[in-house]
Amino acid sequence: MFKDLIPPPGPPRGLALAQLVCRLGDGAYNICAALYFTRIVGLSPFQMGLGLTIGWSAALVLSVPLGHLADRVGPRGTSVTLFVCAALSVASFVFITSFVPFVIASCAYAVSQRGGSAAEQALLAGLVPKDQVTRVRAFVQSSFNAGMTIGAGLGGLVLLFDRQGAYYAAFALNGVAFLIAASILRRLPAVAPAPKAPASPDGRPASKSVFRDAPYVVISVLNTVLLLYVPLIAVALPLWISEHTSAPVSLLSVMLMLNTVVVALFQVRVSEGVKDLTSAIRFLLLGSFLLAAACVAFAFSGTWDSAWTASVLLVVAAGLMVVGEMMQAAGEWEVSFGLAPTDKTGQYQAFFGNGITVAEMLGPLVLTGLIVYWGAPGWILLGGLFVAVSAAMAPVIRWGGRVRDENERRERESLAVAEAVGAAGPPDGAESPATAPAPAPALATPGPAPAARPTTDHRGQAVDDLV
């Protein structure tokens, strides 16, 4: 079991280590930020919430353009540069004294953090064989959970002191963590920028923007609904336990620990069952049924007067939920990478990753209304929603697979036509190669197919050289 905690040497280990370090700093920041900005800086809770919402909204708008930038100039340099920007944004928090600078710093932090994460996913796709992407992504997720847990513990120590200097130390830890993560990523092999996709024989581009990829857009939207399980423990459960059950609120810490430890220990093993889109669909469906079963157990936990019975049901529900969460995650990773064109991994991962941002922004409002105010029927409705959405994703994923295969076929035809024209040479009566003008770019002998990025193209150094 413990071998599943250590990624294979090489790029997988470097990617997981960068994630561990980066999220360690984020964990400390997340625990301390609210109290620092309200008690030390003097912002009102409304100002703080509004500023953070504006920041994450800016990240939603700019994440796809930044992902496209990673595709065009190289994901390694883009991720390194954005993580350095995130470190500088965190450092700026210590100079904030009013609302407007707070909004600016929040925007810079959210945009650079989300954009850097999207570029990091593109780097993973470029360095890892396609059939190993989901497994390596599982290692990265385990490192994510471990880093957030350790960082939250360090943030808890800061809260014990509750002094300005202690909060500064937490921000310093977060900034240094981003710089270390950037340094780790900088030492990984560079992935050359994706070559421009050749036009199809009918003149249309072989690949399109993510916004024009209808099945991928639909899948991303549906997956956002499934991601409501992410803010469930942090937002809805504390209120549910305190207002609707006889269990002690302190049980929440046990449930949080169960979730993080189980994901860290077993995510890689669970993800090994996902090999292609067919198995991904199966895992998404099975995971949704487990999430629905967890919702039923949560609903019944509020019907018992016995604290012991309610506590047992809550722990059982948390166990069902974490297994369903791991299966859902493995399936969604395979789908998000498997349906993304090789030359557009950055922008596709950025768009798909926006789902977690939307879930975290809207989740508190949706879950509070659904569960806290509706009670047990709200839990049942939420569980049914998980199953219905996963079932709806299955035909859309198959549709996306057909679109992907068709685009790949067009690319192969375009390359074959270009190779045939290049091999035919000039027609009779044409100028010799020595005097003939250079052929049009569309007729030039192409480089390798988009799936294999050229190793001699050093345009990715343009961003790498900035750091």
Side-chain angles (χ1 to χ4, degrees):
M1 179 178 66
F2 291 103
K3 66 181 179 64
D4 292 336
L5 302 178
I6 303 176
R13 188 169 297 178
L15 291 164
L17 180 59
Q19 189 73 193
L20 174 68
V21 173
C22 189
R23 301 314 161 193
L24 187 151
D26 275 344
Y29 165 80
N30 290 341
I31 292 294
C32 301
L35 290 180
Y36 171 77
F37 291 122
T38 55
R39 299 178 60 174
I40 304 299
V41 177
L43 300 177
S44 69
F46 173 77
Q47 287 178 318
M48 186 199 71
L50 178 61
L52 293 177
T53 300
I54 294 173
W56 292 118
S57 299
L60 280 175
V61 173
L62 295 177
S63 61
V64 173
L66 289 174
H68 179 70
L69 176 67
D71 293 328
R72 297 280 73 84
V73 303
R76 187 186 69 174
T78 305
S79 61
V80 169
T81 302
L82 289 173
F83 278 170
V84 171
C85 291
L88 296 175
S89 301
V90 172
S92 71
F93 288 153
V94 302
F95 302 105
I96 291 173
T97 58
S98 61
F99 176 66
V100 173
F102 170 65
V103 172
I104 296 173
S106 295
C107 289
Y109 172 78
V111 169
S112 55
Q113 195 227 49
R114 283 291 190 238
S117 296
E120 188 179 12
Q121 298 306 311
L123 181 61
L124 184 155
L127 294 178
V128 176
K130 191 171 183 179
D131 61 346
Q132 292 295 313
V133 165
T134 298
R135 185 170 186 268
V136 174
R137 184 65 179 81
F139 278 115
V140 172
Q141 183 64 28
S142 295
S143 299
F144 179 101
N145 278 47
M148 292 293 286
T149 301
I150 297 172
L154 296 174
L157 294 177
V158 171
L159 296 183
L160 288 178
F161 291 97
D162 194 21
R163 294 288 187 273
Q164 186 177 38
Y167 290 111
Y168 284 175
F171 292 146
L173 173 64
N174 196 14
V176 170
F178 274 119
L179 293 177
I180 294 175
S183 177
I184 294 171
L185 294 177
R186 184 67 179 83
R187 297 174 186 275
L188 296 178
V191 174
K196 185 177 180 180
S200 60
D202 57 8
R204 293 180 300 177
S207 58
K208 302 176 290 187
S209 164
V210 64
F211 296 109
R212 298 177 60 193
D213 191 332
Y216 200 90
V217 170
V218 174
I219 290 168
S220 300
V221 172
L222 292 174
N223 188 68
T224 300
V225 179
L226 295 179
L227 289 171
L228 287 175
Y229 66 74
V230 175
L232 192 61
I233 288 185
V235 175
L237 278 182
L239 298 175
W240 171 258
I241 294 173
S242 63
E243 297 184 14
H244 293 271
T245 76
S246 54
V249 179
S250 59
L251 183 66
L252 181 65
S253 62
V254 176
M255 298 166 69
L256 284 170
M257 184 178 299
L258 174 67
N259 185 282
T260 55
V261 171
V262 169
V263 170
L265 293 178
F266 296 104
Q267 181 68 76
V268 174
R269 181 168 297 184
V270 170
S271 300
E272 290 176 349
V274 179
K275 304 295 184 182
D276 50 27
L277 292 182
T278 300
S279 55
I281 292 173
R282 184 171 66 252
F283 267 56
L284 286 170
L285 289 172
L286 291 175
S288 69
F289 280 108
L290 288 172
L291 291 176
C295 289
V296 172
F298 281 129
F300 277 98
S301 68
T303 63
W304 299 87
D305 294 331
S306 169
W308 280 104
T309 303
S311 298
V312 169
L313 282 172
L314 287 170
V315 172
V316 169
L320 290 170
M321 189 174 74
V322 71
V323 178
E325 172 186 337
M326 290 189 295
M327 298 187 75
Q328 288 275 346
E332 71 183 39
W333 296 333
E334 181 67 27
V335 171
S336 68
F337 282 99
L339 296 182
T342 307
D343 60 334
K344 297 182 183 295
T345 304
Q347 66 165 289
Y348 270 64
Q349 289 305 308
F351 183 79
F352 195 85
N354 278 341
I356 186 65
T357 304
V358 174
E360 290 176 340
M361 290 173 62
L362 301 182
L365 178 63
V366 173
L367 295 174
T368 300
L370 193 63
I371 293 171
V372 178
Y373 292 103
W374 278 21
W379 278 113
I380 303 301
L381 179 60
L382 180 62
L385 183 64
F386 285 142
V387 174
V389 170
S390 292
M393 286 181 69
V396 184
I397 292 171
R398 297 189 186 98
W399 175 28
R402 293 192 296 271
V403 171
R404 176 200 60 189
D405 295 341
E406 176 64 17
N407 287 336
E408 291 178 352
R409 183 189 65 79
R410 289 178 178 176
E411 290 183 11
R412 289 194 298 269
E413 290 179 354
S414 299
L415 290 172
V417 170
E419 289 174 354
V421 172
D428 294 340
E431 297 181 37
S432 65
T435 60
L443 304 181
T445 302
R453 297 186 178 184
T455 57
T456 57
D457 190 341
H458 296 290
R459 288 176 292 168
Q461 299 292 334
V463 176
D464 292 338
D465 292 339
L466 296 178
V467 296

